Amino acid sequence: MHADIEKVLLPQAQIADRVAALAAQITAEHLAAAGDAELMIVPILTGAMIFCGDLIRRIPIAMRIGLCTVSSYPGQSLRSQGSQVLSQQLGDLRGRHVLLIDDILDSGGTLSLVIPRLREMSPASLRVCVLLRKNRPEARAVGVDYVGFDIPDEFVVGYGLDYNNYYRNLPDVVTLTPQAIRAKS
Ligand code: IMP
Ligand code: MG
């Protein structure tokens, strides 16, 4: 797998530091706004799985987890093909404090689809956290509360992000060589 890496954009230690800081900020802001009310964590699968796992273990607040699976880069695509909710297990969000978590904000299609669906369920609050945000106007146009890193508009994998469902287990966020992209297509 390491021969497939073109460059390391975010090494794992840098990600871990930022995730800890995000968790501290989310915790403090939740306690200030909602006291000891529970959180409802909603990771957008599959990409947010690893980020969510690291983030929530640093948030010492009672929480439950709901799931939402969205497809936007099906298979071998390097650009969003339009988002589609494939399944969700959210339970009743009415009156709950929801934290929606995604891996990366790119075209904004995924969050523009999911955020209104969650709002319709009348949560007490809805905050949105993404690990990465690409440097493009469409991404900045989507209102999110927490951003781990602003990155260049490049295709990245690792730490949950995939190409054709590969590379999610890389601990760093990296770009791939053209040869790797061909080989995994
Ligand atoms: P958006 O809907 O275009 O904002 O993109 C969001 C989703 O597309 C993310 O949740 C990812 O699953 C996927 N995605 C966007 N950019 C990348 C990338 O650079 N690498 C891998 N997946 C990406
Ligand atoms: Mg995704």
Side-chain angles (χ1 to χ4, degrees), residues 13-41:
Q14 195 181 344
I15 299 172
D17 285 352
R18 185 69 187 121
V19 169
L22 280 174
Q25 188 186 352
I26 290 166
T27 302
E29 290 182 8
H30 177 81
L31 292 175
D36 59 4
E38 287 181 12
L39 271 173
M40 183 72 185
I41 305 290

PDB file of all heavy atoms in Angstrom, residues 13-41:
ATOM      1  N   ALA A  13      -0.159  11.826  13.418  1.00  0.00           N
ATOM      2  CA  ALA A  13       0.012  12.574  14.680  1.00  0.00           C
ATOM      3  C   ALA A  13      -0.680  13.931  14.593  1.00  0.00           C
ATOM      4  O   ALA A  13      -1.285  14.403  15.576  1.00  0.00           O
ATOM      5  CB  ALA A  13       1.501  12.761  14.975  1.00  0.00           C
ATOM      6  N   GLN A  14      -0.609  14.542  13.426  1.00  0.00           N
ATOM      7  CA  GLN A  14      -1.262  15.845  13.239  1.00  0.00           C
ATOM      8  C   GLN A  14      -2.794  15.686  13.284  1.00  0.00           C
ATOM      9  O   GLN A  14      -3.500  16.515  13.856  1.00  0.00           O
ATOM     10  CB  GLN A  14      -0.827  16.436  11.892  1.00  0.00           C
ATOM     11  CG  GLN A  14      -1.133  17.898  11.728  1.00  0.00           C
ATOM     12  CD  GLN A  14      -0.708  18.435  10.355  1.00  0.00           C
ATOM     13  OE1 GLN A  14       0.078  17.797   9.638  1.00  0.00           O
ATOM     14  NE2 GLN A  14      -1.233  19.578   9.976  1.00  0.00           N
ATOM     15  N   ILE A  15      -3.277  14.599  12.708  1.00  0.00           N
ATOM     16  CA  ILE A  15      -4.720  14.330  12.761  1.00  0.00           C
ATOM     17  C   ILE A  15      -5.149  14.123  14.215  1.00  0.00           C
ATOM     18  O   ILE A  15      -6.149  14.687  14.671  1.00  0.00           O
ATOM     19  CB  ILE A  15      -5.089  13.095  11.909  1.00  0.00           C
ATOM     20  CG1 ILE A  15      -4.736  13.327  10.441  1.00  0.00           C
ATOM     21  CG2 ILE A  15      -6.577  12.768  12.053  1.00  0.00           C
ATOM     22  CD1 ILE A  15      -4.892  12.079   9.557  1.00  0.00           C
ATOM     23  N   ALA A  16      -4.379  13.324  14.941  1.00  0.00           N
ATOM     24  CA  ALA A  16      -4.745  13.018  16.337  1.00  0.00           C
ATOM     25  C   ALA A  16      -4.810  14.290  17.175  1.00  0.00           C
ATOM     26  O   ALA A  16      -5.738  14.468  17.988  1.00  0.00           O
ATOM     27  CB  ALA A  16      -3.748  12.037  16.933  1.00  0.00           C
ATOM     28  N   ASP A  17      -3.852  15.191  16.994  1.00  0.00           N
ATOM     29  CA  ASP A  17      -3.854  16.453  17.756  1.00  0.00           C
ATOM     30  C   ASP A  17      -5.098  17.275  17.436  1.00  0.00           C
ATOM     31  O   ASP A  17      -5.736  17.838  18.325  1.00  0.00           O
ATOM     32  CB  ASP A  17      -2.623  17.302  17.406  1.00  0.00           C
ATOM     33  CG  ASP A  17      -1.362  16.755  18.034  1.00  0.00           C
ATOM     34  OD1 ASP A  17      -1.454  15.817  18.855  1.00  0.00           O
ATOM     35  OD2 ASP A  17      -0.263  17.254  17.693  1.00  0.00           O
ATOM     36  N   ARG A  18      -5.415  17.334  16.166  1.00  0.00           N
ATOM     37  CA  ARG A  18      -6.566  18.165  15.754  1.00  0.00           C
ATOM     38  C   ARG A  18      -7.880  17.540  16.231  1.00  0.00           C
ATOM     39  O   ARG A  18      -8.794  18.262  16.646  1.00  0.00           O
ATOM     40  CB  ARG A  18      -6.544  18.328  14.224  1.00  0.00           C
ATOM     41  CG  ARG A  18      -7.597  19.253  13.689  1.00  0.00           C
ATOM     42  CD  ARG A  18      -7.353  20.715  14.064  1.00  0.00           C
ATOM     43  NE  ARG A  18      -8.495  21.528  13.669  1.00  0.00           N
ATOM     44  CZ  ARG A  18      -9.236  22.274  14.493  1.00  0.00           C
ATOM     45  NH1 ARG A  18      -8.948  22.352  15.780  1.00  0.00           N
ATOM     46  NH2 ARG A  18     -10.259  22.948  14.032  1.00  0.00           N
ATOM     47  N   VAL A  19      -7.959  16.202  16.174  1.00  0.00           N
ATOM     48  CA  VAL A  19      -9.179  15.517  16.632  1.00  0.00           C
ATOM     49  C   VAL A  19      -9.380  15.780  18.133  1.00  0.00           C
ATOM     50  O   VAL A  19     -10.497  16.041  18.585  1.00  0.00           O
ATOM     51  CB  VAL A  19      -9.109  14.004  16.317  1.00  0.00           C
ATOM     52  CG1 VAL A  19     -10.230  13.240  17.018  1.00  0.00           C
ATOM     53  CG2 VAL A  19      -9.183  13.777  14.806  1.00  0.00           C
ATOM     54  N   ALA A  20      -8.296  15.751  18.891  1.00  0.00           N
ATOM     55  CA  ALA A  20      -8.400  16.027  20.334  1.00  0.00           C
ATOM     56  C   ALA A  20      -8.898  17.450  20.574  1.00  0.00           C
ATOM     57  O   ALA A  20      -9.752  17.686  21.439  1.00  0.00           O
ATOM     58  CB  ALA A  20      -7.043  15.803  21.002  1.00  0.00           C
ATOM     59  N   ALA A  21      -8.389  18.393  19.791  1.00  0.00           N
ATOM     60  CA  ALA A  21      -8.816  19.788  19.966  1.00  0.00           C
ATOM     61  C   ALA A  21     -10.282  19.959  19.574  1.00  0.00           C
ATOM     62  O   ALA A  21     -11.040  20.666  20.259  1.00  0.00           O
ATOM     63  CB  ALA A  21      -7.929  20.717  19.125  1.00  0.00           C
ATOM     64  N   LEU A  22     -10.689  19.315  18.495  1.00  0.00           N
ATOM     65  CA  LEU A  22     -12.097  19.385  18.074  1.00  0.00           C
ATOM     66  C   LEU A  22     -13.006  18.807  19.153  1.00  0.00           C
ATOM     67  O   LEU A  22     -14.051  19.387  19.475  1.00  0.00           O
ATOM     68  CB  LEU A  22     -12.317  18.591  16.782  1.00  0.00           C
ATOM     69  CG  LEU A  22     -11.943  19.232  15.456  1.00  0.00           C
ATOM     70  CD1 LEU A  22     -12.106  18.204  14.330  1.00  0.00           C
ATOM     71  CD2 LEU A  22     -12.801  20.459  15.170  1.00  0.00           C
ATOM     72  N   ALA A  23     -12.608  17.672  19.706  1.00  0.00           N
ATOM     73  CA  ALA A  23     -13.427  17.015  20.733  1.00  0.00           C
ATOM     74  C   ALA A  23     -13.575  17.920  21.955  1.00  0.00           C
ATOM     75  O   ALA A  23     -14.662  18.039  22.531  1.00  0.00           O
ATOM     76  CB  ALA A  23     -12.818  15.674  21.124  1.00  0.00           C
ATOM     77  N   ALA A  24     -12.492  18.583  22.331  1.00  0.00           N
ATOM     78  CA  ALA A  24     -12.541  19.483  23.495  1.00  0.00           C
ATOM     79  C   ALA A  24     -13.479  20.654  23.215  1.00  0.00           C
ATOM     80  O   ALA A  24     -14.279  21.059  24.082  1.00  0.00           O
ATOM     81  CB  ALA A  24     -11.138  19.982  23.824  1.00  0.00           C
ATOM     82  N   GLN A  25     -13.402  21.180  22.009  1.00  0.00           N
ATOM     83  CA  GLN A  25     -14.268  22.313  21.636  1.00  0.00           C
ATOM     84  C   GLN A  25     -15.738  21.887  21.586  1.00  0.00           C
ATOM     85  O   GLN A  25     -16.620  22.578  22.108  1.00  0.00           O
ATOM     86  CB  GLN A  25     -13.822  22.853  20.273  1.00  0.00           C
ATOM     87  CG  GLN A  25     -14.525  24.145  19.882  1.00  0.00           C
ATOM     88  CD  GLN A  25     -14.182  24.590  18.461  1.00  0.00           C
ATOM     89  OE1 GLN A  25     -13.300  24.024  17.811  1.00  0.00           O
ATOM     90  NE2 GLN A  25     -14.882  25.605  17.985  1.00  0.00           N
ATOM     91  N   ILE A  26     -16.003  20.734  20.987  1.00  0.00           N
ATOM     92  CA  ILE A  26     -17.380  20.231  20.897  1.00  0.00           C
ATOM     93  C   ILE A  26     -17.940  19.990  22.297  1.00  0.00           C
ATOM     94  O   ILE A  26     -19.076  20.357  22.612  1.00  0.00           O
ATOM     95  CB  ILE A  26     -17.421  18.944  20.043  1.00  0.00           C
ATOM     96  CG1 ILE A  26     -17.148  19.287  18.569  1.00  0.00           C
ATOM     97  CG2 ILE A  26     -18.759  18.216  20.199  1.00  0.00           C
ATOM     98  CD1 ILE A  26     -16.843  18.076  17.689  1.00  0.00           C
ATOM     99  N   THR A  27     -17.130  19.391  23.157  1.00  0.00           N
ATOM    100  CA  THR A  27     -17.564  19.107  24.528  1.00  0.00           C
ATOM    101  C   THR A  27     -17.894  20.402  25.265  1.00  0.00           C
ATOM    102  O   THR A  27     -18.970  20.534  25.867  1.00  0.00           O
ATOM    103  CB  THR A  27     -16.455  18.339  25.280  1.00  0.00           C
ATOM    104  OG1 THR A  27     -16.176  17.132  24.572  1.00  0.00           O
ATOM    105  CG2 THR A  27     -16.869  18.014  26.706  1.00  0.00           C
ATOM    106  N   ALA A  28     -16.985  21.365  25.197  1.00  0.00           N
ATOM    107  CA  ALA A  28     -17.182  22.626  25.925  1.00  0.00           C
ATOM    108  C   ALA A  28     -18.424  23.348  25.410  1.00  0.00           C
ATOM    109  O   ALA A  28     -19.235  23.858  26.210  1.00  0.00           O
ATOM    110  CB  ALA A  28     -15.948  23.516  25.781  1.00  0.00           C
ATOM    111  N   GLU A  29     -18.607  23.383  24.108  1.00  0.00           N
ATOM    112  CA  GLU A  29     -19.744  24.122  23.551  1.00  0.00           C
ATOM    113  C   GLU A  29     -21.061  23.406  23.843  1.00  0.00           C
ATOM    114  O   GLU A  29     -22.085  24.050  24.062  1.00  0.00           O
ATOM    115  CB  GLU A  29     -19.534  24.364  22.051  1.00  0.00           C
ATOM    116  CG  GLU A  29     -18.405  25.374  21.847  1.00  0.00           C
ATOM    117  CD  GLU A  29     -18.119  25.751  20.408  1.00  0.00           C
ATOM    118  OE1 GLU A  29     -18.878  25.359  19.498  1.00  0.00           O
ATOM    119  OE2 GLU A  29     -17.098  26.442  20.197  1.00  0.00           O
ATOM    120  N   HIS A  30     -21.023  22.079  23.852  1.00  0.00           N
ATOM    121  CA  HIS A  30     -22.253  21.348  24.197  1.00  0.00           C
ATOM    122  C   HIS A  30     -22.623  21.587  25.662  1.00  0.00           C
ATOM    123  O   HIS A  30     -23.781  21.856  25.980  1.00  0.00           O
ATOM    124  CB  HIS A  30     -22.095  19.850  23.922  1.00  0.00           C
ATOM    125  CG  HIS A  30     -23.304  19.061  24.327  1.00  0.00           C
ATOM    126  ND1 HIS A  30     -24.431  18.971  23.542  1.00  0.00           N
ATOM    127  CD2 HIS A  30     -23.581  18.366  25.455  1.00  0.00           C
ATOM    128  CE1 HIS A  30     -25.352  18.249  24.167  1.00  0.00           C
ATOM    129  NE2 HIS A  30     -24.848  17.858  25.330  1.00  0.00           N
ATOM    130  N   LEU A  31     -21.636  21.505  26.547  1.00  0.00           N
ATOM    131  CA  LEU A  31     -21.917  21.715  27.982  1.00  0.00           C
ATOM    132  C   LEU A  31     -22.448  23.131  28.221  1.00  0.00           C
ATOM    133  O   LEU A  31     -23.384  23.330  29.005  1.00  0.00           O
ATOM    134  CB  LEU A  31     -20.655  21.471  28.814  1.00  0.00           C
ATOM    135  CG  LEU A  31     -20.165  20.011  28.870  1.00  0.00           C
ATOM    136  CD1 LEU A  31     -18.840  19.911  29.609  1.00  0.00           C
ATOM    137  CD2 LEU A  31     -21.213  19.096  29.512  1.00  0.00           C
ATOM    138  N   ALA A  32     -21.883  24.106  27.525  1.00  0.00           N
ATOM    139  CA  ALA A  32     -22.327  25.496  27.707  1.00  0.00           C
ATOM    140  C   ALA A  32     -23.753  25.700  27.196  1.00  0.00           C
ATOM    141  O   ALA A  32     -24.542  26.421  27.804  1.00  0.00           O
ATOM    142  CB  ALA A  32     -21.366  26.444  26.985  1.00  0.00           C
ATOM    143  N   ALA A  33     -24.090  25.045  26.091  1.00  0.00           N
ATOM    144  CA  ALA A  33     -25.395  25.295  25.458  1.00  0.00           C
ATOM    145  C   ALA A  33     -26.491  24.381  25.988  1.00  0.00           C
ATOM    146  O   ALA A  33     -27.658  24.764  26.025  1.00  0.00           O
ATOM    147  CB  ALA A  33     -25.271  25.126  23.943  1.00  0.00           C
ATOM    148  N   ALA A  34     -26.120  23.149  26.371  1.00  0.00           N
ATOM    149  CA  ALA A  34     -27.158  22.159  26.666  1.00  0.00           C
ATOM    150  C   ALA A  34     -26.930  21.416  27.983  1.00  0.00           C
ATOM    151  O   ALA A  34     -27.629  20.446  28.278  1.00  0.00           O
ATOM    152  CB  ALA A  34     -27.257  21.166  25.508  1.00  0.00           C
ATOM    153  N   GLY A  35     -25.949  21.870  28.762  1.00  0.00           N
ATOM    154  CA  GLY A  35     -25.706  21.235  30.067  1.00  0.00           C
ATOM    155  C   GLY A  35     -25.448  19.755  29.929  1.00  0.00           C
ATOM    156  O   GLY A  35     -24.663  19.338  29.090  1.00  0.00           O
ATOM    157  N   ASP A  36     -26.149  18.946  30.756  1.00  0.00           N
ATOM    158  CA  ASP A  36     -25.849  17.517  30.730  1.00  0.00           C
ATOM    159  C   ASP A  36     -26.789  16.734  29.796  1.00  0.00           C
ATOM    160  O   ASP A  36     -26.916  15.513  29.916  1.00  0.00           O
ATOM    161  CB  ASP A  36     -25.849  16.927  32.142  1.00  0.00           C
ATOM    162  CG  ASP A  36     -27.199  17.126  32.824  1.00  0.00           C
ATOM    163  OD1 ASP A  36     -28.134  17.645  32.157  1.00  0.00           O
ATOM    164  OD2 ASP A  36     -27.318  16.768  34.011  1.00  0.00           O
ATOM    165  N   ALA A  37     -27.443  17.421  28.866  1.00  0.00           N
ATOM    166  CA  ALA A  37     -28.285  16.714  27.886  1.00  0.00           C
ATOM    167  C   ALA A  37     -27.431  15.754  27.052  1.00  0.00           C
ATOM    168  O   ALA A  37     -26.255  16.015  26.791  1.00  0.00           O
ATOM    169  CB  ALA A  37     -28.975  17.727  26.977  1.00  0.00           C
ATOM    170  N   GLU A  38     -28.033  14.653  26.669  1.00  0.00           N
ATOM    171  CA  GLU A  38     -27.311  13.659  25.852  1.00  0.00           C
ATOM    172  C   GLU A  38     -27.045  14.170  24.447  1.00  0.00           C
ATOM    173  O   GLU A  38     -27.756  15.030  23.946  1.00  0.00           O
ATOM    174  CB  GLU A  38     -28.165  12.391  25.697  1.00  0.00           C
ATOM    175  CG  GLU A  38     -28.245  11.561  26.930  1.00  0.00           C
ATOM    176  CD  GLU A  38     -29.088  10.307  26.716  1.00  0.00           C
ATOM    177  OE1 GLU A  38     -29.417   9.990  25.545  1.00  0.00           O
ATOM    178  OE2 GLU A  38     -29.411   9.667  27.711  1.00  0.00           O
ATOM    179  N   LEU A  39     -26.055  13.571  23.824  1.00  0.00           N
ATOM    180  CA  LEU A  39     -25.773  13.821  22.410  1.00  0.00           C
ATOM    181  C   LEU A  39     -26.273  12.651  21.574  1.00  0.00           C
ATOM    182  O   LEU A  39     -26.303  11.511  22.044  1.00  0.00           O
ATOM    183  CB  LEU A  39     -24.259  13.925  22.195  1.00  0.00           C
ATOM    184  CG  LEU A  39     -23.595  15.280  22.338  1.00  0.00           C
ATOM    185  CD1 LEU A  39     -22.085  15.099  22.254  1.00  0.00           C
ATOM    186  CD2 LEU A  39     -24.077  16.229  21.251  1.00  0.00           C
ATOM    187  N   MET A  40     -26.650  12.965  20.354  1.00  0.00           N
ATOM    188  CA  MET A  40     -26.939  11.929  19.366  1.00  0.00           C
ATOM    189  C   MET A  40     -25.912  12.104  18.256  1.00  0.00           C
ATOM    190  O   MET A  40     -25.878  13.138  17.585  1.00  0.00           O
ATOM    191  CB  MET A  40     -28.351  12.133  18.815  1.00  0.00           C
ATOM    192  CG  MET A  40     -28.769  11.069  17.853  1.00  0.00           C
ATOM    193  SD  MET A  40     -29.085   9.542  18.771  1.00  0.00           S
ATOM    194  CE  MET A  40     -29.406   8.450  17.403  1.00  0.00           C
ATOM    195  N   ILE A  41     -25.047  11.116  18.101  1.00  0.00           N
ATOM    196  CA  ILE A  41     -23.964  11.200  17.121  1.00  0.00           C
ATOM    197  C   ILE A  41     -24.408  10.517  15.835  1.00  0.00           C
ATOM    198  O   ILE A  41     -24.868   9.365  15.862  1.00  0.00           O
ATOM    199  CB  ILE A  41     -22.705  10.472  17.660  1.00  0.00           C
ATOM    200  CG1 ILE A  41     -22.287  11.020  19.026  1.00  0.00           C
ATOM    201  CG2 ILE A  41     -21.570  10.539  16.651  1.00  0.00           C
ATOM    202  CD1 ILE A  41     -21.736  12.400  19.016  1.00  0.00           C
TER     203      ILE A  41
END
